[in-house]
Amino acid sequence: MDLSDSSDRKGVMSMNVNKKSGRPRLLPKEELAAIMFSIFANKGYEATSLNDLTQATGTKPATLYQAFGNKEGMFIAALEHYKTTWLADLEKILSSEELSFNNKIKQFLFSAFNLFSCEGKPPGCLLVFSALSFRPEASSLGAELFNERHAFKAWIIEEAQRAQQNNTLSGKLSPEETAEFILTFESGLALMALDNPDQKVINSMIDKMIDAVMCE
């Protein structure tokens, strides 16, 4: 899903000082989005103020409004940065044709927790946490995020049905129950990352839980 306006991507800005004219040049929008991602991920959407974003990016409010429209547009840009920069490896795992369904889910959850708790980014998951700030019935962004979650759930259901038909997934849970289990597990891992638990313990727990629930 492309949440950013394609025409916006053409605008190039920089924040370095032009010594000849004395006028500041602005950062490229991609760099602004990366900075705003860090602020939103650390503080959350509601707690992040425009002042937080202008101080972090070194820009004026009018500049950010011109580039992104409003605070929600700024969050959309930050979320798109997160998806394209940090979530790409998770998508590769899910699209792999070499892994069985069970192993695909294991690798997805291993990698998801590693992402949620890795150095270089705020702990947790901005995409998971965005569900707390944007309700489907309250905004167009909330509706889009809901549709993304629904599409992911539908994909898991379809993959689980195929795996059960091929006898590579146990029938302990229905495909619908399997999807709910995986999505709940992923959201829980995002929250657990905030407390910096031992990754070896988490990986062992993932391995044993998936085997217990999804294997005969």
Side-chain angles (χ1 to χ4, degrees), residues 26-215:
L26 304 175
L27 287 171
K29 289 189 69 176
E30 292 78 7
E31 293 185 39
L32 289 173
I35 295 170
M36 292 190 297
F37 160 72
S38 181
I39 302 302
F40 280 123
N42 269 308
K43 301 192 68 172
Y45 179 80
E46 296 296 339
T48 297
S49 67
L50 181 61
N51 185 57
D52 293 328
L53 298 172
T54 56
Q55 285 193 347
T57 57
T59 60
K60 295 181 179 180
T63 301
L64 290 182
Y65 280 124
Q66 183 177 10
F68 302 104
N70 53 26
K71 182 181 174 182
E72 186 173 304
M74 298 172 203
F75 183 82
I76 289 172
L79 191 61
E80 192 65 23
H81 166 80
Y82 176 58
K83 291 166 62 179
T84 57
T85 303
W86 294 96
L87 300 185
D89 287 343
L90 298 184
E91 293 183 3
K92 289 180 181 178
I93 292 171
L94 293 174
S95 62
S96 172
E97 297 182 357
E98 299 177 358
L99 296 172
S100 67
F101 179 72
N102 289 2
N103 286 332
K104 186 180 296 187
I105 296 304
K106 277 188 182 182
Q107 291 302 318
F108 168 72
L109 293 174
F110 290 151
S111 298
F113 183 74
N114 182 60
L115 167 66
F116 298 159
S117 58
C118 71
E119 295 183 2
K121 63 171 285 297
C125 177
L126 186 62
L127 192 59
V128 171
F129 297 160
S130 65
L132 301 175
S133 299
F134 298 95
R135 301 299 304 158
E137 67 277 5
S139 69
S140 59
L141 176 56
E144 288 189 66
L145 292 171
F146 172 81
N147 289 337
E148 280 195 357
R149 294 192 298 272
H150 188 269
F152 185 34
K153 179 179 176 180
W155 177 87
I156 297 174
I157 291 172
E158 183 178 345
E159 290 293 303
Q161 289 173 335
R162 184 178 296 111
Q164 286 185 344
Q165 291 170 358
N166 295 334
N167 296 317
T168 58
L169 175 66
S170 79
K172 294 177 183 178
L173 297 180
S174 69
E176 292 77 12
E177 290 169 336
T178 300
E180 296 291 1
F181 169 72
I182 293 168
L183 293 173
T184 301
F185 207 148
E186 181 200 11
S187 297
L189 292 175
L191 289 173
M192 291 176 67
L194 301 178
D195 296 329
N196 192 32
D198 187 324
Q199 186 160 354
K200 290 183 179 179
V201 173
I202 297 301
N203 285 347
S204 177
M205 180 266 294
I206 292 171
D207 188 55
K208 291 175 181 177
M209 287 295 294
I210 296 301
D211 282 348
V213 172
M214 297 172 59
C215 298

